[in-house]
């Protein structure tokens, strides 16, 4: 009996160890690609989860044909600033995002001073099938904590769990400002009591921070973090929760916090080099990469050469990048293909003419040269469901939009107004039901039509106008 009891105790002790500690980090297969999660702008549909794929970390293709991939139906029903997190064993993933939807019942003053204290979290075991979102209250335990913005998380081998960190606006020590707080978690459902993590002196705020782990032999620190705090400040440490040393900023290459925010790291899959993506919020242009071979050395950062990167068709704003194994990449690309048919829009009553852009104006012409000026991708509408937007092939990120009822080719600026102006309902042709007409999303009594060969939106009341508003979608 004694031997039996000893054996039972040993089994129970071993089992307790298995439950007490998570599985060790797996040796992941070699990385072959990259996945970016991001939001695109200020409309209700733009403040959701979008994905993009890259083979080299610099040239991006929108997945799901540029349409949103996940949308929040909890909290404010909008999300910004998503972080992508992989478990050390490579068998679980999370998306963690700010619970915020500007223009969907919230404005900036309200969200700053009385915003959501929650983060929005999704979980997956394969990167393609995601749980329903849930709310994680991270700022409710912070005395007078007024919001929770820009979350990030990193696995901490020193504590065998994740350090989850975010910005909260707090009145403290005579200054009401955003500071970075952290908590520990193993499952993004419960957290330890939040603690202050990063505070800047005086009235200076800090909102956006992301940490990257650096291999031994590169620089003097195991971890480097980059923050938007008036500058793009670079710090180094050998412990995530230890002492951090300020190393400098990116003002030497002309980038400050007044121009860029939302630092987003990616280590390239080959060699020891990195890109630090920065959101050009001041100019409304979305992300751009800054390149370096040593994240801990401000002098090593360089602006990219002209034409060396391409951000794809949608504006990419504050997000995160995950290096993908071949298996992960295959699953993601199978679930959300990135190919879209290239189309031309042929006029019904001038069948030798096609919709084209010329010097950003839009018209119908015959014998279009270069041919790409008459080539478009019909992608999921920037506003509304069951709609389309018409994206230029040779100017990715530029769409046909109406402006004062006239049409232009314009870059998506991420605003609600742009999204509505560039969105249409694809309906049966007004002159021939086997063709197609495009009804304006925000002026539903008007349709896309040509007049004197120029495109505009008008009410359609005559046979001529119905013919002008009818097109064939061809390849």
């Amino acid at each position: 009996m004694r031997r039996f009891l000893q054996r039972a105790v040993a089994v129970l002790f071993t089992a307790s160890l298995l439950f007490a500690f998570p599985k060790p980090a797996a040796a992941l297969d070699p990385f072959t690609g990259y996945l970016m999660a991001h939001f695109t702008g200020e409309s209700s549909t733009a403040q959701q989860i979008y994905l993009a794929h890259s083979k080299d970390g610099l040239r991006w293709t929108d997945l799901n044909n540029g349409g949103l991939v996940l949308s929040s139906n909890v909290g404010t029903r909008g999300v910004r600033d998503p972080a992508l997190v992989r478990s050390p064993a490579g068998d679980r993933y999370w998306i963690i995002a700010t619970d915020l939807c500007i223009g969907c019942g919230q404005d900036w003053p309200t969200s700053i001073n009385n915003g959501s204290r929650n983060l929005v979290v999704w979980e997956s075991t394969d990167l393609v099938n995601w749980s329903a979102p849930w709310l994680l209250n991270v700022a409710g335990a912070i005395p007078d904590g007024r919001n929770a913005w820009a979350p990030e998380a990193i696995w901490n081998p020193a504590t065998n769990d994740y350090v989850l960190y975010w910005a909260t606006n707090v009145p403290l020590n005579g200054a009401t400002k955003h500071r970075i707080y952290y908590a520990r978690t193993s499952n993004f459902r419960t957290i330890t009591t939040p603690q202050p993590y990063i505070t800047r002196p005086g009235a200076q705020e800090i909102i956006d921070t992301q940490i990257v782990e650096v291999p031994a032999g590169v620089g003097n620190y195991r971890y480097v973090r980059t923050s938007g705090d008036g500058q793009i400040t670079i710090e180094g440490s050998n412990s995530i929760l230890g002492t951090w040393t300020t190393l400098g900023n990116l003002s030497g290459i002309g980038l400050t916090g007044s121009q860029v925010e939302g630092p987003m790291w990616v280590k390239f899959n080959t060699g020891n080099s990195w890109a630090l993506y920065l959101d050009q919020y001041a100019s409304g242009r979305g992300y751009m990469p800054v390149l370096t071979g040593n994240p801990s050395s401000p002098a090593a950062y360089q602006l990219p050469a002209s034409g060396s990167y391409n951000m794809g068709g949608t504006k990419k704003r504050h997000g995160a990048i995950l290096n993908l194994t071949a298996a992960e990449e295959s699953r993601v690309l199978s679930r959300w293909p990135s190919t879209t048919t290239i189309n031309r829009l042929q006029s019904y009553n001038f069948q030798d003419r096609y919709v084209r852009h010329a010097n950003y104006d839009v018209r119908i012409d015959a014998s279009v040269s270069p041919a790409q000026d008459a080539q478009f991708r019909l992608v999921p509408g920037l506003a509304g469901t069951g709609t389309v937007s018409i994206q230029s092939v040779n100017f990715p990120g530029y769409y046909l939009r109406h402006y004062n009822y006239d049409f232009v080719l314009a870059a998506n600026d991420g605003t609600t107004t742009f999204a509505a102006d560039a969105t249409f309902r694809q309906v049966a042709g007004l002159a021939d039901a086997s063709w197609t007409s495009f009804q304006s999303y925000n002026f539903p009594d008007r349709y896309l039509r040509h007049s004197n060969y120029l495109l505009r939106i008008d009410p359609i009341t005559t046979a001529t106008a119905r013919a002008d508003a009818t097109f064939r979608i061809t390849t």
Side-chain angles (χ1 to χ4, degrees):
M1 176 64 72
R2 179 179 299 172
R3 186 178 294 115
F4 173 79
L5 289 175
Q6 288 173 334
R7 185 176 298 160
V9 168
V11 170
L12 290 172
F13 178 72
T14 302
S16 70
L17 288 178
L18 291 174
F19 283 106
F21 297 99
K23 290 189 293 184
L28 296 176
D29 291 336
F31 293 128
T32 60
Y34 310 83
L35 180 68
M36 183 195 302
H38 62 96
F39 77 106
T40 64
E42 305 300 323
S43 70
S44 59
T45 53
Q47 293 171 100
Q48 303 295 346
I49 303 298
Y50 292 76
L51 297 178
H53 169 261
S54 176
K55 288 300 294 184
D56 64 2
L58 290 172
R59 296 169 179 84
W60 295 90
T61 302
D62 301 316
L63 297 183
N64 199 33
N65 295 331
L68 63 86
V69 168
L70 294 172
S71 61
S72 173
N73 59 4
V74 297
T76 68
R77 297 181 177 269
V79 287
R80 302 164 68 102
D81 322 321
L84 264 172
V85 183
R86 178 198 278 116
S87 69
D91 60 352
R92 199 163 298 274
Y93 312 85
W94 294 269
I95 292 176
I96 309 155
T98 304
D99 179 30
L100 177 59
C101 192
I102 294 299
C104 316
Q106 281 189 305
D107 55 24
W108 284 115
T110 302
S111 64
I112 290 170
N113 293 297
N114 189 25
S116 174
R117 278 76 166 170
N118 299 301
L119 304 178
V120 180
V121 186
W122 287 266
E123 185 176 5
S124 174
T125 58
D126 58 10
L127 278 179
V128 298
N129 296 292
W130 292 89
S131 70
W134 69 82
L135 294 175
L136 177 62
N137 189 325
V138 296
I142 300 172
D144 204 10
R146 299 182 177 186
N147 58 9
W149 283 3
E152 299 286 347
I154 186 171
W155 177 258
N156 188 5
T159 56
N160 251 8
D161 56 13
Y162 298 93
V163 175
L164 172 65
Y165 53 102
W166 68 92
T168 290
N169 186 31
V170 182
L172 185 65
N173 299 326
T176 300
K177 62 181 183 178
H178 285 92
R179 300 165 167 88
I180 304 295
Y181 283 75
Y182 84 92
R184 290 166 51 197
T185 185
S186 60
N187 56 14
F188 299 99
R189 292 183 181 272
T190 60
I191 62 171
T192 60
T193 302
Q195 303 292 327
Y197 189 34
I198 314 174
T199 299
R200 295 302 189 231
Q204 180 59 59
E205 295 192 288
I206 178 171
I207 295 177
D208 301 330
T209 291
Q210 195 181 77
I211 299 170
V212 65
E213 185 173 2
V214 180
V218 179
N220 299 318
Y221 298 96
R222 181 176 179 182
Y223 300 101
V224 173
R225 72 185 182 197
T226 307
S227 303
D229 58 0
Q231 295 287 348
I232 302 300
T233 298
I234 304 167
E235 299 168 287
S237 179
N238 289 312
S239 172
I240 294 171
L241 297 178
T243 300
W244 288 79
T245 300
T246 301
L247 304 174
N249 58 58
L250 297 184
S251 61
I253 57 173
L255 296 175
T256 71
S258 65
Q259 301 162 304
V260 292
E261 63 181 11
M264 177 177 72
W265 283 105
V266 60
K267 183 184 182 299
F268 292 118
N269 291 334
T270 57
N272 277 327
S273 56
W274 287 257
L276 175 63
Y277 279 88
L278 299 169
D279 182 356
Q280 303 167 93
Y281 75 96
S283 61
R285 290 182 290 172
Y287 269 125
M288 63 168 287
V290 178
L291 308 178
T292 184
N294 182 359
S296 65
S297 173
Y301 288 76
Q302 297 180 340
L303 294 172
S306 176
S308 64
Y309 69 97
N310 185 319
M311 298 309 300
T314 61
K315 181 187 294 185
K316 288 156 181 70
R317 303 209 53 204
H318 193 162
I321 297 173
L322 188 70
N323 301 67
L324 295 175
T325 67
E328 291 170 336
E329 188 175 30
S330 176
R331 291 197 302 267
V332 166
L333 294 181
S334 295
R335 175 64 180 83
W336 294 294
S338 57
T339 56
T340 309
T341 302
I342 295 175
N343 295 119
R344 296 186 298 163
L345 302 180
Q346 182 184 20
S347 168
Y348 174 76
N349 49 354
F350 292 89
Q351 295 190 13
D352 62 332
R353 292 176 179 261
Y354 293 81
V355 173
R356 60 87 54 90
H357 59 82
N359 296 323
Y360 304 108
D361 198 5
V362 186
R363 51 182 294 116
I364 59 169
D365 273 344
S367 304
V368 177
S369 180
Q372 291 87 347
D373 287 355
Q375 293 176 341
F376 301 92
R377 289 186 171 96
L378 272 61
V379 300
L382 299 177
T385 57
T387 60
V388 297
S389 292
I390 306 170
Q391 182 184 177
S392 168
V393 164
N394 53 352
F395 287 84
Y398 282 67
Y399 295 80
L400 300 190
R401 73 167 292 188
H402 61 80
Y403 186 80
N404 291 331
Y405 305 131
D406 187 22
F407 264 86
V408 295
L409 181 74
N412 182 4
D413 62 12
T415 63
T416 301
T417 299
F418 185 99
D421 288 349
T423 298
F424 307 90
R425 297 195 185 280
Q426 192 174 324
V427 299
L430 299 180
D432 184 330
S434 67
W435 290 50
T436 300
S437 292
F438 295 91
Q439 181 185 25
S440 169
Y441 173 77
N442 50 353
F443 292 89
D445 62 327
R446 293 173 179 260
Y447 292 78
L448 185 155
R449 59 88 56 97
H450 60 81
S451 178
N452 293 324
Y453 303 132
L454 298 175
L455 258 64
R456 51 181 294 109
I457 59 167
D458 278 338
I460 303 301
T461 59
T462 68
T464 298
R466 286 193 291 273
D468 290 347
T470 301
F471 302 87
R472 174 182 282 140
I473 300 172
T474 70
T475 56

